[in-house]
Amino acid sequence: MANELKYGDQVHLQNGYSSWAGGYLDTNGHSSDGGAKYAVSTADSPTRGAGTGTWQILSAAGKAVGANVVSGDLVYLRNLYGGDGGYLDTNGHATADQQNSGGKYNVLTSKDQDRAPGTGRWRLFAQASSPGDQNVRPGDVIHLWNTYGDNGGFLETNGGGPSGGKYDVCTNAYYNRAQNVGDWKLHRA
C-alpha cells in the first residue's frame, strides 16, 4: 500500500484540542535556553512561515529512510524552517501553571538530535489505523511520548502561545489531561 508514512516523509501535526482547533505544531522565534534553537508552540496554519510547521520524521532506532513508520517506533522530528529548524526537544521544566496540571518539560527545538540523552527522542503511538497492520498513515491520530529520563511525558498544548502563535507546548505526565490536548493528527506536508 502506498499510503503508509515512511521515514523521511514531511508532515504537519494538528492538535486535537477543542475539536481539532488546537493549531499546528510550529517553531516561532529564537530560544535563549541552553542548547536550544527555536521556541515551539502551535499556529493557526501549518504554513505560518516557510517550513515553520513542517516536520520530517526520522528514525531514532536506525530504520532506513523509506521504511514504514510503525506505531510504537522511536522517532526524531526535524523542523524544516530555514532548511534546518532543529529537532523537537524537551529542554527545562514546564511553567508553574503547566506543572499544576501535570506538565513536565518545556518543548523547544535543538540543533542536535539528542541535546541530552533522550531529550529529542519521541515514541510515536497511533490510536488506530486502517488496515490494522501497525503502520502509521496520514490522518491517523497519534500521541508522542518523550524518552528523556525514561519518562519525559506526552507532547501537548497547554496555555497561551507567543505572538503569532496559538498555544504553548510542553510535555505532560497524562496523555490526555483535558479535551484531547495530547492528540495530534498527521497530515502530509
Side-chain angles (χ1 to χ4, degrees):
M1 217 175 209
N3 196 34
E4 293 89 357
L5 283 176
K6 310 280 188 197
Y7 283 105
D9 283 356
Q10 297 174 12
V11 297
H12 301 299
L13 293 161
Q14 182 183 12
N15 185 261
Y17 175 65
S18 192
S19 299
W20 299 103
Y24 293 85
L25 193 65
D26 187 71
T27 51
N28 189 338
H30 290 277
S31 175
S32 59
D33 292 33
K37 199 163 186 175
Y38 296 109
V40 174
S41 60
T42 63
D44 283 320
S45 165
T47 54
R48 181 189 59 78
T52 61
T54 303
W55 302 83
Q56 183 180 35
I57 302 176
L58 301 170
S59 176
K63 288 188 174 182
V65 169
N68 287 351
V69 178
V70 175
S71 183
D73 275 359
L74 198 58
V75 302
Y76 294 116
L77 292 170
R78 185 172 77 93
N79 185 266
L80 298 183
Y81 174 66
D84 182 15
Y87 294 88
L88 193 68
D89 184 71
T90 51
N91 188 330
H93 292 282
T95 67
D97 283 345
Q98 291 168 339
Q99 289 180 24
N100 287 334
S101 60
K104 294 184 77 149
Y105 298 107
N106 191 24
V107 174
L108 307 166
T109 64
S110 170
K111 64 179 180 60
D112 299 316
Q113 287 181 327
D114 277 307
R115 181 188 48 75
T119 61
R121 295 179 196 186
W122 301 84
R123 185 77 63 189
L124 185 153
F125 297 105
Q127 284 185 352
S129 194
S130 182
D133 57 5
Q134 301 181 28
N135 292 311
V136 179
R137 294 170 178 80
D140 287 353
V141 176
I142 64 167
H143 291 122
L144 290 165
W145 181 74
N146 186 264
T147 66
Y148 175 65
D150 289 330
N151 187 7
F154 292 92
L155 185 70
E156 70 162 15
T157 52
N158 191 328
S163 177
K166 189 162 187 160
Y167 296 108
D168 196 14
V169 175
C170 67
T171 63
N172 198 292
Y174 305 107
Y175 78 90
N176 185 16
R177 70 175 168 79
Q179 297 186 46
N180 302 321
V181 294
D183 288 356
W184 299 89
K185 189 180 289 185
L186 291 162
H187 303 280
R188 283 199 196 276

